[in-house]
Amino acid sequence: MRWERYRDGMHPGDYDVADIAQASETGRVPADARIDDLLDSAYRRALTHREGTVADYIPILGRADPEAFGVSVVDVDGGIHSVGDTATRFSIQSISKAFVYALLCEAVGHTDAYRIVGVNNTGAPFNSVVAIELNGGHPGNPMVNAGAIATTALIPGGSAAEKWDAVHAGLSRFAGRALDVDDEVYRSESETNQRNRAIATLLQSYDRIRCDPLEAVDVYTRQCSLLVDARDLAVMGATLADGGVNPVTGERVVSAEVARDTLAVMAASGLYERSGEWLFEIGMPGKSGVAGGLVTIAPGKVGIGAYAPPLDSAGNSVRGQIATAYLSRALGLNIFASASHA
Ligand code: GLN
């Protein structure tokens, strides 16, 4: 089954938040009670939306409850705010790409990560093969499947097992707990990921993957099958918001420079070909996954984790986007918003 099936879902720009006043950017988030109130309003506003389609090109994902919905906000002091189904677990899918990219930047440095994987939006769907060809074999950026598989392939390790251990341990540090693989999701995707195997083999033909490409896809598929909940995503996001230190465990996971670089790439391409609309409405780096997860980061302030399985036609959670857009405006999180200095 092909992804193109979903390309006639929700229309771009339907965020339903244009009437929410943009709160002034103050460099700080409001007091806890205010965050709880606004989080509740964001949740209720998004709950009225029933657009979107649950992905089933990975067959098991089609079993997700389309009504499941939860949002968490974690601030850089480790304060946690939650509403709805924030303890429901789902596979992290593409959201893993941002955090594995951070691990790669930490391991190989700014320049090599830029040179090898790239930082520009492809303008194409996340699993595009055409985009690779149009770029002369370059994967484009780490947020699409080609760049993500290339990223995982570059994670230091003498074997696929060692790479997996590094990815698993690193993502668990971002979440502040040991994450488990959902074996059913892993098997379901492994049986149906011919397209990702084709992408990896194509990248090998361009000398962009130097280890066994199918082993790289296998590690990538495992990383996508890690189980998280909305609260985990908020903690992972808050770690990037807090200069690379997990604000709940206090552990430094990556350097502040790596957190900065990762957020820049997420801003450019975290919501695939919808990244421009996302920045226009929400004004923060974010990353979506096809199981319905969405993480958004207000640097120096908060991480937001959302879960709602129905997706727009680019593969981004509809309710997750609407709740996040509301919070961006109501909490004053848009990184492009300023009030006059005078
Ligand atoms: N594992 C999924 C895939 O490779 C991830 C895609 C996504 O979340 N957008 O197709």
Side-chain angles (χ1 to χ4, degrees):
M1 191 174 303
R2 298 185 321 152
W3 177 257
E4 278 70 12
R5 205 184 130 200
Y6 302 102
R7 294 189 60 78
D8 51 6
M10 192 190 187
H11 285 288
D14 285 344
Y15 289 83
D16 184 29
V17 290
D19 60 320
I20 314 288
Q22 172 70 57
S24 300
E25 211 300 326
T26 60
R28 278 169 288 122
V29 283
D32 285 349
R34 181 91 182 118
I35 297 179
D36 288 331
D37 272 3
L38 293 172
L39 185 54
D40 201 53
S41 302
Y43 175 83
R44 281 188 284 106
R45 168 76 67 121
L47 205 55
T48 63
H49 282 267
R50 311 206 102 80
E51 302 94 332
T53 314
V54 176
D56 64 1
Y57 78 104
I58 298 169
I60 198 166
L61 298 185
R63 288 200 219 151
D65 173 8
E67 286 304 321
F69 180 35
V71 189
S72 286
V73 174
V74 171
D75 63 40
V76 292
D77 292 324
I80 300 174
H81 307 262
S82 291
V83 61
D85 304 321
T86 53
T88 303
R89 294 205 170 151
F90 53 91
S91 51
I92 188 169
Q93 297 297 341
S94 276
I95 300 167
S96 65
K97 293 167 175 170
F99 296 93
V100 176
Y101 180 67
L103 298 175
L104 180 71
C105 289
E106 187 76 16
V108 307
H110 178 91
T111 307
D112 275 355
Y114 156 73
R115 197 172 47 79
I116 305 171
V117 190
V119 297
N120 284 325
N121 196 306
T122 64
F126 67 79
N127 58 1
S128 176
V129 175
V130 172
I132 304 171
E133 288 294 322
L134 290 176
N135 285 311
H138 195 284
N141 68 67
M143 305 300 155
V144 293
N145 289 12
I149 296 166
T151 297
T152 297
L154 284 161
I155 290 289
S159 64
E162 279 180 32
K163 288 180 197 292
W164 165 246
D165 287 345
V167 165
H168 183 208
L171 264 52
S172 297
R173 278 199 301 276
F174 271 111
R177 66 177 187 86
L179 299 175
D180 296 319
V181 168
D182 184 321
D183 288 321
E184 274 194 299
V185 171
Y186 167 69
R187 271 200 304 277
S188 184
E189 181 162 352
S190 296
E191 286 162 6
T192 52
N193 65 354
Q194 291 80 5
R195 194 177 178 96
N196 285 341
R197 286 181 248 161
I199 286 172
T201 311
L202 183 61
L203 290 173
Q204 181 192 33
S205 80
Y206 282 111
D207 203 25
R208 293 271 168 195
I209 287 188
R210 294 197 170 158
C211 62
D212 182 322
L214 299 185
E215 284 184 5
V217 173
D218 184 60
V219 176
Y220 165 80
T221 307
R222 266 179 221 275
Q223 90 190 31
C224 288
S225 307
L226 286 168
L227 284 169
V228 290
D229 57 30
R231 181 182 170 283
D232 291 324
L233 291 182
V235 174
M236 295 175 86
T239 303
L240 292 178
D242 192 32
V245 174
N246 182 319
V248 176
T249 63
E251 188 187 357
R252 175 166 293 287
V253 183
V254 291
S255 71
E257 291 73 20
V258 164
R260 175 202 64 200
D261 293 348
T262 304
L263 293 177
V265 181
M266 290 170 83
S269 46
L271 278 86
Y272 314 114
E273 67 274 32
R274 292 273 164 83
S275 298
E277 291 161 55
W278 167 263
L279 276 189
F280 183 69
E281 294 290 350
I282 286 152
M284 283 183 276
K287 185 76 204 83
S288 60
V290 282
L294 179 63
V295 67
T296 308
I297 293 97
K301 293 179 173 172
V302 299
I304 303 171
Y307 172 58
L311 309 176
D312 71 10
S313 59
N316 306 315
S317 169
V318 171
R319 282 179 172 167
Q321 290 180 82
I322 292 167
T324 305
Y326 187 104
L327 290 172
S328 168
R329 289 179 182 235
L331 290 172
L333 303 178
N334 189 319
I335 62 174
F336 304 112
S338 58
S340 167
H341 169 65

